[in-house]
Amino acid sequence: MEMEEETTLRRLAIKIFNDVWNLLDKTGRSQAENDTMLHGAHASRYLWELVGQPVNLARGEWQVSRVYSVLGRAEGAHYHAQRCLDICLENAIGDFDLAYAYEALARACAIAGDADGRQQYYSLAKESGQHIKEEDDKKLFDTDMSSIP
């Protein structure tokens, strides 16, 4: 892949990721916006497959899982949360990303009505969250943890 093409794909992956994030934050999304959010999360994750590092793949999987959770689709949420965790563990990715992998699994289990799974992954997320180095990241993580059903 040529450098110019790689740069373009990287910029597009970032833009789509941020667009999805904006839709996640939006209240009162339309069905079309929900569809765009879901397709965008998958598109961003795919682009990271082409030009990213393992940490980008883990974050992409996390975002796809979050979108499925927000949409109430437990199976997709769980699958992508597990992929996020697998990528973190296979590549020794810790800190913020590992904590969020467990957060995503706790959220997916909650959406599925799996109280035992929710508690197991919630505990692992809390434990991992204690190792987040950046204070702003830790605050964001704590806020997200408090929103798990």
Side-chain angles (χ1 to χ4, degrees):
M1 180 178 308
E2 293 181 26
M3 184 65 145
E4 184 177 324
E5 181 182 11
E6 185 174 332
T7 299
T8 299
L9 292 176
R10 184 175 300 281
R11 284 184 184 148
L12 186 56
I14 292 167
K15 181 190 180 323
I16 294 171
F17 185 93
N18 290 334
D19 290 348
V20 169
W21 195 262
N22 289 335
L23 285 169
L24 279 167
D25 286 341
K26 184 178 180 184
T27 56
R29 285 182 308 276
S30 68
Q31 183 60 53
E33 288 171 322
N34 284 338
D35 291 345
T36 296
M37 184 173 64
L38 180 61
H39 297 313
H42 280 286
S44 176
R45 169 57 183 84
Y46 171 73
L47 291 170
W48 285 123
E49 184 78 28
L50 300 176
V51 298
Q53 300 298 317
V55 69
N56 304 114
L57 304 180
R59 290 175 183 174
E61 291 291 352
W62 175 86
Q63 188 180 59
V64 173
S65 177
R66 176 58 70 93
V67 168
Y68 276 111
S69 288
V70 165
L71 296 177
R73 298 180 184 179
E75 184 178 350
H78 193 275
Y79 175 83
H80 291 284
Q82 185 64 56
R83 288 295 303 128
C84 177
L85 178 61
D86 292 345
I87 292 166
C88 286
L89 295 176
E90 290 164 9
N91 294 280
I93 300 169
D95 195 77
F96 180 86
D97 296 286
L98 182 61
Y100 265 101
Y102 289 125
E103 176 271 343
L105 279 162
R107 189 176 300 278
C109 288
I111 298 296
D114 175 4
D116 291 340
R118 181 212 178 271
Q119 186 55 44
Q120 174 191 356
Y121 290 116
Y122 188 90
S123 295
L124 289 167
K126 283 297 243 186
E127 180 183 325
S128 295
Q130 293 174 3
H131 302 287
I132 296 174
K133 293 178 184 109
E134 294 292 325
E135 196 57 39
D136 287 346
D137 290 344
K138 192 174 276 198
K139 286 179 185 175
L140 178 61
F141 176 76
D142 289 342
T143 298
D144 282 336
M145 287 293 290
S146 70
S147 72
I148 295 175

